[in-house]
Amino acid sequence: MTNIVSLQKGGNTILAESGTITVELRWSSTSILDVSSFLVGANGKVPSDAYMVFYNQETEPERSVWLTTNETNKVVFTIQLEKLSPTIQHCFFTATLEGNATFATVQGLSITVKSRQGEVCYQIDDATEERALVLAEVYRHQATFKFRAIGRGFNGGLKPLAESYGVEVEEPEVPSIPSSEPVQEVHLTKIDLLKKKVSISLEKKKIGFEKSRIAVVFDASGSMTQLYQRGTIQRAFERVLAVAACMDDNGELDVWFFGSKFMKARSVTERDFEDYIQQTYPVPQMFGGLGSGNNEPPVMKDIIRHYVKKEPRKDIPAYIIFFSDGGIYKDKEIAKILIDASQHNIFWQFVGLGNANYGVLQKLDDLPGRFIDNADFFALDDLDKITDEELYDRLLNEFPQWLREARAKGILH
């Protein structure tokens, strides 16, 4: 009797040490999917363009991964595990749609891995506005191979997806436009300009290839009212969104607000950043909102629950940027949360706004009892006066060292 394992998003299971496995994608709707496999090294990049397996390139140099079936509603890859190059750590399986179609129209999408141990199935049923999906991966883990269900959207179509893995995609030739016709201008958004500055900081820190799950937390207590009204929080949001656009595995920024209570707001990409704060939580509210107090522990626990329980990942970290104007008094509870969270692949970057009481956050460098130093803190007198370059350099100050230690201690796989 065949052993069948069903995985949820983020779940993983052992496959085999060697032998041949098949990875089969199926869907029931009439959607046309472009399915690819990217074979990447430890840096998350392909060794060369030859390590992308798709309809126009059915295998790679070692001939260990083959696209063996490419039908209307079925695509199958065959992998000979022992033939994989030792430099290849992950085989990612992706799907994209052409034009403006989204995965909300794709029905019955599933991915199944078959090996001598049995079958592992993952049903992708929560995709909505995405045009590209990273479905799953087969990856090395110690002396064996494992399978992980990912199911995360990617910001854009095949070209940006391929380029995120280091594949060079040539731009199609654009026919010349007669001089009598106006040339359409390309307008760069605020986020496009900020992304260039983020990229410079990432290169300086030597983590230009790193992917993370990026989140921002905004203090919405009563003392923050003027910062909301002046648009400072919207501008802070845009500056952090550029970090997510460069570093997040699907270009999406997760957002939380907190006062006496907290809320997780809708996640956002660079395509829909305009007036996000005004549309989501425009100003602190004492009644009918999150309250006017400072209560950090509940929102911190919810963030941990989200990334550890709800959407667990061991291959990439969660990087949390936490804005607060102080008034912090639950030192012992916050310290315990950070100590307990030091076992997880979550890094906390706290940013103080103004001159205030930041309590335990000011003592993070000396906080004892942690498995690994998992947090950093700096305060700004005026967030609007610090340059983008300095802000990004400071946001990324301790994160590279944490990445190295997290990998050395097995927090990140």
Side-chain angles (χ1 to χ4, degrees), residues 33 35 73 76 100 114 123 148 185 196 209-210 274 288-289 293 306 358 379 389 402:
L33 273 62
V35 178
N73 294 90
V76 179
N100 295 320
K114 299 178 181 179
Q123 189 82 26
R148 175 181 287 113
E185 296 183 4
K196 298 180 183 298
F209 61 85
E210 293 285 352
E274 296 284 356
H306 180 81
Y358 296 112
E389 293 83 356
W402 176 86

Side-chain angles (χ1 to χ4, degrees), residues 44-58:
K45 304 295 183 182
V46 295
S48 73
D49 292 0
Y51 287 83
M52 175 184 176
V53 180
F54 64 115
Y55 67 91
N56 205 30
Q57 184 168 276
E58 295 182 344

Side-chain angles (χ1 to χ4, degrees), residues 6 20 23 60 69 79 82 163 175 233 256 265 267 285 301 358 363-365 389 404:
S6 179
T20 300
V23 179
E60 36 68 53
T69 302
I79 306 176
E82 64 272 15
E163 290 176 342
I233 300 304
W256 276 264
S267 299
Q285 301 175 52
K301 291 177 181 177
Y358 296 112
K363 306 171 185 176
L364 287 177
D365 285 342
E389 293 83 356
R404 290 190 289 271

Side-chain angles (χ1 to χ4, degrees), residues 36-40 90-94 134 136-137 150 165 315:
S36 308
S37 178
F38 295 89
L39 282 63
V40 307
H90 308 262
C91 298
F92 289 100
F93 298 91
T94 70
V134 180
E137 64 168 322
I150 298 176
Y165 290 118
D315 57 326

